[in-house]
Amino acid sequence: MTAASQPAERPVLKIAPQPGPQQQFFESLADIVIYGGAAGGGKSWSLLVEPLRHISNRRFGAVIFRRTSKQVFNEGGLWDEASELYPKLGAKSNMVEATWTFPAGASVSFAHLQHEKDIYIYQGAQIALAEFDELTHFTKKQFFYILSRLRSMSGVRPYVRCSTNPDADSWVAELIAWWIDQDEFLPDGVTPNRRYGLPIPERAAVVRYFLKDGDRYIWGATREEVYEQRPAGKKIEMRDVKSLTFIPAALEDNQILVQKDPDYRGNLLMQDAVEQARLLDGNWKTRKSAGMYFKRTWVEVVDVVPAQARRIRYWERAATEPNPDNPDPDWTRGVLLAQAPDGVVYVEDVIGLRGAPGEVEKLILNTAKVDRERYPDIIIGIEQDPAAAGKAEANSYLKLLAGFDVRMFPVSGKGQKVTRFSPFSAQAYGRNVKVKQGLWNQEWFEELEAFPTVGVHDDQVDATGGAYNALNAPSKEEKPRASAQDVKNIQTAFMRRLKGR
């Protein structure tokens, strides 16, 4: 056979962890490994690769959980990543079952636990490997219930692997507290500890042992130490003691991502202060509190705003006058926001009123006339309740402001105020916001710095964040990767599979 006629050598697929935390993740023998901290540490990829060590075992089955089915099938999510990797090992997918089956018969399934009651779908199930992507999204009950389903006839000792990002208020923060610096101050009791909330380096990947007694954890350095502390009156065996470790990871630990997507770090820097501390630094103590989303020191006060800029006057409306039953009602606020060609954001003017609906309409109309004389291309943005009453009110404003460039922005979910304000907060934190000097400055500064304090007005917060979001809303021409019907079909099939297991 000539060299030209010889069959070409098949390419070798090499799958290996990166040195550091990812390698520690794959080498750990703990029953439960929680891998996480900052974003971009290669956590989800690690969850997808972990089951591959067992794919020659025909009786092996792994389940990878996300909180919702949509998160499984999001663009670039777990299913997409599996679709890139698993076929190279001969796996075949079943979209209806959300399962990959390998040539020897081993399988990896994707599932969700959107509602707490979904855990009971797994009564009687036998899971050799349970994996949780974004563990803080799950409830404590969901996690420990699935642990009770860890049984296997495959010869593989059942175990758990998890990925997570920090959440100071989650049950996970309590579970991994030993691995996190809990000292807010240095030993002198005065100097702030800069490592407060960050992983303790020398404890990374160290295995500890625990028993769960109701809502209490019994910890020890060895299995025997925990067993000796077992609750009296309960039948506890040595093998009931579980081993657990936490392995922190940072973006710098994933050099493949850093090189492949050098802009990813910049995307994290665009987040507000709270999300930066969590996703970039991996801090487990940062909470959403007053002063975390805005500080006046983040912005520059200027006398002049560039004439060449895109502008919007955005209205957060209320229609109640102060009265004995409600002496301090919400305000109607109109924020004039400009964005210059270089991307710098200017808060140019804020006006407000507490009055009846007719007074509010008069203020908005008169302000629109004044604004248009100065800026002919200005947009008027008005928040709209998505309910039927909101649509009727929107039509009323469209008639009132006939001839102006009016745009309605449906807004729902009072619990999403932080989410809506975060993009503007990120701009301010990144020193990309300037404020035009005016009598309204002090009140505006105070309200934004107090956000999100319960009981403190946030009308200017809503109007400011709404103005920035409206001015930077995606183009209507942008289309999703899949149609809404496609997504619905996938989710319906997914739910049908879960109900029938």
Side-chain angles (χ1 to χ4, degrees):
M1 182 181 292
T2 64
S5 62
Q6 291 179 355
E9 293 186 5
R10 297 180 62 182
V12 176
L13 175 62
K14 182 180 179 180
I15 301 174
Q18 298 179 72
Q22 200 170 67
Q23 185 168 344
Q24 291 176 321
F25 174 84
F26 287 109
E27 291 178 348
S28 180
L29 299 178
D31 297 320
I32 304 168
V33 175
I34 300 176
Y35 182 35
K43 303 183 294 295
S44 296
W45 182 87
S46 300
L47 293 184
L48 291 173
V49 170
E50 175 61 34
L52 300 183
R53 65 173 84 226
H54 306 294
I55 59 174
S56 61
N57 185 333
R58 67 181 180 84
R59 306 187 74 173
F60 173 80
V63 180
I64 304 178
F65 294 97
R66 284 232 54 171
R67 187 60 191 263
T68 69
S69 60
K70 184 177 180 180
Q71 289 171 333
V72 173
F73 294 105
N74 271 344
E75 183 174 358
L78 287 173
W79 187 265
D80 279 2
E81 287 198 52
S83 299
E84 289 290 324
L85 176 62
Y86 289 174
K88 296 175 182 178
L89 297 165
K92 302 296 183 182
S93 67
N94 184 324
M95 281 287 289
V96 175
E97 298 291 327
T99 298
W100 290 87
T101 303
F102 292 85
S107 67
V108 177
S109 299
F110 294 81
H112 78 277
L113 298 172
Q114 182 169 357
H115 307 291
E116 191 123 291
K117 64 182 180 180
D118 290 340
I119 57 177
Y120 300 115
I121 295 172
Y122 291 90
Q123 285 181 338
Q126 295 188 25
I127 303 173
L129 169 61
E131 298 193 311
F132 294 82
D133 195 20
E134 295 296 349
L135 183 59
T136 58
H137 291 183
F138 298 87
T139 68
K140 187 176 183 179
K141 179 177 180 179
Q142 288 175 326
F143 176 72
F144 283 105
Y145 182 86
I146 293 299
L147 261 62
S148 73
R149 303 299 92 195
L150 294 181
R151 295 181 292 170
S152 176
M153 300 296 291
S154 64
V156 176
R157 185 172 184 267
Y159 63 113
V160 178
R161 295 295 181 261
C162 313
S163 74
T164 190
N165 286 323
D167 183 346
D169 298 309
S170 72
W171 62 273
V172 180
E174 177 191 4
L175 184 64
I176 64 169
W178 184 82
W179 288 267
I180 305 299
D181 197 322
Q182 304 291 324
D183 296 322
E184 191 170 354
F185 298 96
L186 296 181
D188 62 13
V190 177
T191 307
N193 177 16
R194 293 186 177 182
R195 291 205 55 81
Y196 176 58
L198 297 177
I200 301 172
E202 57 269 25
R203 294 185 179 180
V206 174
V207 176
R208 297 196 80 208
Y209 298 84
F210 77 104
L211 270 174
K212 188 171 179 291
D213 180 28
D215 290 329
R216 180 175 70 104
Y217 299 111
I218 303 172
W219 290 98
T222 65
R223 203 180 297 272
E224 291 75 17
E225 183 180 333
V226 175
Y227 183 70
E228 290 174 0
Q229 304 175 64
R230 65 191 183 278
K234 287 189 176 182
K235 185 178 180 181
I236 302 291
E237 298 181 12
M238 184 74 76
R239 63 186 178 186
D240 295 327
V241 178
K242 299 297 180 183
S243 57
L244 184 149
T245 191
F246 173 69
I247 302 174
L251 175 60
E252 291 71 21
D253 296 315
N254 188 357
Q255 284 301 306
I256 293 176
L257 175 61
V258 171
Q259 296 169 18
K260 186 176 181 180
D261 187 1
D263 294 329
Y264 186 73
R265 180 180 176 82
N267 295 337
L268 296 180
L269 288 171
M270 291 299 291
Q271 305 305 308
D272 59 63
V274 174
E275 292 306 318
Q276 278 198 40
R278 289 176 175 173
L279 301 181
L280 193 57
D281 302 330
N283 194 303
W284 282 84
K285 289 296 183 180
T286 301
R287 286 182 170 85
K288 299 174 182 178
S289 59
M292 291 302 299
Y293 286 92
F294 185 85
K295 288 183 173 65
R296 67 186 72 195
T297 55
W298 295 351
V299 304
E300 178 186 355
V301 178
V302 298
D303 294 321
V304 179
V305 177
Q308 291 297 114
R310 294 184 301 121
R311 282 179 168 82
I312 186 170
R313 172 79 73 172
Y314 189 92
W315 293 95
E316 156 72 7
R317 293 170 298 111
T320 303
E321 297 178 280
N323 58 72
D325 294 330
N326 188 6
D328 189 26
D330 289 336
W331 288 72
T332 289
R333 298 288 188 179
V335 171
L336 176 59
L337 188 138
Q339 189 161 21
D342 61 1
V344 176
V345 178
Y346 293 83
V347 183
E348 195 166 355
D349 180 55
V350 178
I351 58 177
L353 169 75
R354 286 198 290 198
E359 294 178 282
V360 171
E361 291 181 358
K362 184 177 179 180
L363 174 66
I364 293 176
L365 178 59
N366 290 339
T367 304
K369 293 176 180 177
V370 173
D371 286 344
R372 190 168 63 175
E373 288 181 4
R374 299 176 61 197
Y375 310 115
D377 296 329
I378 191 169
I379 300 167
I380 301 173
I382 298 180
E383 285 198 354
Q384 174 194 338
D385 186 326
K391 294 177 182 178
E393 191 178 34
N395 290 331
S396 175
Y397 272 97
L398 290 172
K399 292 178 182 178
L400 175 71
L401 298 167
F404 293 90
D405 185 359
V406 185
R407 304 182 192 180
M408 311 304 296
F409 295 93
V411 175
S412 62
K414 290 295 183 182
Q416 298 176 10
K417 284 177 176 286
V418 167
T419 301
R420 295 199 296 267
F421 184 66
S422 290
F424 177 83
S425 171
Q427 292 292 316
Y429 186 73
R431 306 308 193 267
N432 196 47
V433 173
K434 297 184 180 183
V435 177
K436 186 177 181 181
Q437 187 168 5
L439 296 176
W440 53 271
N441 289 171
Q442 183 64 23
E443 186 180 12
W444 184 81
F445 280 137
E446 289 176 354
E447 184 174 309
L448 266 65
E449 285 186 319
F451 180 74
T453 303
V454 176
V456 176
H457 286 294
D458 55 14
D459 313 295
Q460 295 178 90
V461 174
D462 291 343
T464 302
Y468 179 78
N469 295 337
L471 206 56
N472 291 275
S475 168
K476 292 183 180 180
E477 283 73 29
E478 293 184 11
K479 296 182 179 179
R481 176 171 172 254
S483 70
Q485 188 60 47
D486 290 336
V487 175
K488 185 177 180 180
N489 290 342
I490 292 173
Q491 293 174 339
T492 300
F494 197 92
M495 287 300 297
R496 187 181 300 119
R497 179 183 71 84
L498 290 179
K499 291 178 180 179
R501 286 185 70 131

